[in-house]
Amino acid sequence: GELLPEDLAREVQEETGLKVLTMGRLVYIMQCHDRSSDSQTLAFVFEVDQWRGDLRVDDPDNLILKTDFLSVDEATKKLQTLPWRYMRDPLIAYLHNEMPLGSVWIYRDEEVVAKF
């Protein structure tokens, strides 16, 4: 029942301890259909223009182990270790200005079906 700005603020606070003050531009939308589990993932990724607080893990699901600010090179190296293309590729493309803001990435079973 959350709107996108509410969801963004909650997720950022849970995973980093930071309070989002100003939501930025839409970076990309990603959709992935996993046929083996017949599940869909739909993600809207935004920039965060302003925040306050100190980095700390506050994840109620205990999935986040550490938070940190990284350089683009460091972030790219870490992202390249992710086994899921649908999580990895759009973020790396964004960090390297390889796709325009507001891009849409569509995957089926880890294969890109379309990107625009």
Side-chain angles (χ1 to χ4, degrees):
E2 293 174 311
L3 297 176
L4 288 173
E6 297 162 340
D7 186 42
L8 170 77
R10 180 183 52 76
E11 286 292 333
V12 169
Q13 189 157 14
E14 285 178 359
E15 296 179 8
T16 69
L18 300 175
K19 181 173 177 67
V20 173
L21 301 176
T22 307
M23 185 171 117
R25 300 171 298 178
L26 174 66
V27 174
Y28 65 85
I29 298 170
M30 182 279 301
Q31 178 185 19
C32 181
H33 176 228
D34 180 353
R35 287 185 283 200
S36 66
S37 63
D38 195 31
S39 64
Q40 293 270 346
T41 300
L42 183 62
F44 296 84
V45 178
F46 291 88
E47 294 177 336
V48 173
D49 288 340
Q50 293 181 311
W51 67 88
R52 76 166 177 242
D54 298 313
L55 283 176
R56 62 178 166 66
V57 176
D58 192 25
D59 180 18
D61 300 318
N62 295 316
L63 299 173
I64 306 302
L65 304 176
K66 181 180 175 187
T67 62
D68 207 350
F69 287 109
L70 304 172
S71 70
V72 170
D73 288 341
E74 291 172 308
T76 300
K77 286 178 188 172
K78 287 191 179 274
L79 287 167
Q80 287 171 336
T81 67
L82 286 176
W84 308 285
R85 289 186 65 194
Y86 62 91
M87 290 178 69
R88 177 187 67 229
D89 295 351
L91 284 171
I92 291 173
Y94 166 70
L95 290 173
H96 293 275
N97 297 311
E98 295 171 352
M99 290 291 289
L101 289 172
S103 296
V104 177
W105 296 67
I106 301 173
Y107 291 84
R108 178 171 287 121
D109 301 326
E110 293 288 327
E111 296 302 318
V112 176
V113 174
K115 58 183 173 178
F116 48 92

